[in-house]
Structure formats: C-alpha cells, structure tokens
Amino acid sequence: MKLIIKLLLNAIAVFILAHVLSGVNVDGYVTAIIVAVVLSLLNLLVKPILVIFTLPITIVTLGLFLLVINALIILLADKLIDGFSVSTFWWAILFSVLLSILQSALHSLLKESKK
C-alpha cells in the first residue's frame, strides 16, 4: 500500500511539472503513472550500474555528475514511453532537479500525516 501511494505521489509530481515546464509533456494521468513506474524501475535497475561506471567522474565533480545521470535516465524514459516527451538535455536536468524537490516535499507531507 505504501508503494502504491508513493508511486501515485510521484505521478502527481510528474504531472504537475509537465504542466509547469514547457519542455516536458505528458499526455494524461495514466501516462504520468506509467512515467512514475518506469522512472522508479530505471532508478532501481539502471542507475546503480551507471553510477558504478562513472564513479571517477562523479568523484572529480564532487557528485554533480549525478545530475547528468538523472537526466540520462529521464531521457531514456522519454524514449521508452510514447506519451511522455522531454525536448532537450537541459530540460531533463531541470525536470530531474525539480522532480526530486517536489517528490521530497510530497513524501514529507505523507510522513507528517501518519503521525
């Protein structure tokens, strides 16, 4: 149940950011849910492999290269999902940063309501 609520919160964050950012488009609510699921799976399966391969660059840039990895994962999700599109690499970085902030805020609201 907790996983489903987190995925729905992530889908809400994706949907909100798609309407705020002009370089990111989502066709509808169902597509936003699919994007949330695919991003979660890519973060679970692909991101650790990319982090290990790019560890030297990540260390040299003091972790800022992780923004590039997040953007690449978002662009990969763009290629995998038909109703989701990100126009450029820079929009993917901005979407990644704002998505992380919005997810953190929404998940903190979820934790406060449980107490």
Side-chain angles (χ1 to χ4, degrees), residues 42-68:
L42 288 174
N43 281 330
L44 181 70
L45 301 173
V46 177
K47 188 174 180 177
I49 296 168
L50 289 176
V51 169
I52 289 171
F53 284 142
T54 61
L55 194 59
I57 290 177
T58 305
I59 291 171
V60 168
T61 61
L62 301 175
L64 289 176
F65 194 74
L66 291 174
L67 291 173
V68 173

Side-chain angles (χ1 to χ4, degrees), residues 62-106:
L62 301 175
L64 289 176
F65 194 74
L66 291 174
L67 291 173
V68 173
I69 292 173
N70 287 340
L72 290 174
I73 288 176
I74 288 172
L75 290 174
L76 181 61
D78 172 26
K79 299 297 180 201
L80 294 174
I81 303 168
D82 287 332
F84 176 63
S85 66
V86 180
S87 59
T88 64
F89 176 76
W90 298 107
W91 280 114
I93 287 180
L94 182 61
F95 180 75
S96 168
V97 169
L98 293 177
L99 184 65
S100 296
I101 293 169
L102 193 54
Q103 284 175 345
S104 176
L106 289 174

Side-chain angles (χ1 to χ4, degrees), residues 14 25-42 73-86 95:
V14 167
N25 295 319
V26 174
D27 285 347
Y29 299 114
V30 175
T31 307
I33 293 171
I34 294 170
V35 169
V37 170
V38 169
L39 283 177
S40 297
L41 287 174
L42 288 174
I73 288 176
I74 288 172
L75 290 174
L76 181 61
D78 172 26
K79 299 297 180 201
L80 294 174
I81 303 168
D82 287 332
F84 176 63
S85 66
V86 180
F95 180 75

